[in-house]
Amino acid sequence: MYQVTGTGLQAAPITTTILPDSGTALANNTIYNVAVTVGTYAFTPPATGWAHGMFTTGSSASVSFAGPFLGAAPSIEASKSYEFDVLDGVWAVQEVVSA
């Protein structure tokens, strides 16, 4: 399946529940809905393009992101949920809070 973009056709995003090994680049055009809690993990952006995802940290968390941030770098805490977007190596990461 393809989506029409301003520059032509783009493959529809892939959705997965599994992150690659820590320090390995995320896949381009991929949505990560991580099924397990994240303890120690180094997020690395795709070589080109974008990725989006959500993850929850475990009772002990050491999470890092390779590259610059749009806005402030997040302070990742244990037992919380986060959402991220990365486009061309620039991250936007935010804690998910409910009202």
Side-chain angles (χ1 to χ4, degrees):
M1 177 175 233
Y2 290 88
Q3 296 177 357
V4 177
T5 67
T7 57
L9 293 178
Q10 176 181 341
I14 296 167
T15 301
T16 183
T17 59
I18 303 168
L19 289 169
D21 290 339
S22 181
T24 301
L26 299 174
N28 178 38
N29 198 33
T30 302
I31 299 170
Y32 292 90
N33 292 318
V34 183
V36 298
T37 58
V38 174
T40 299
Y41 192 81
F43 282 92
T44 303
T48 61
W50 65 272
H52 170 81
M54 294 184 72
F55 66 95
T56 300
T57 55
S59 59
S60 175
S62 176
V63 176
S64 63
F65 296 86
F69 289 90
L70 181 63
S75 176
I76 304 296
E77 299 177 18
S79 302
K80 294 194 176 186
S81 295
Y82 295 88
E83 186 169 10
F84 69 84
D85 285 290
V86 60
L87 174 62
D88 295 332
V90 179
W91 296 93
V93 181
Q94 183 70 41
E95 180 183 350
V96 176
V97 295
S98 58

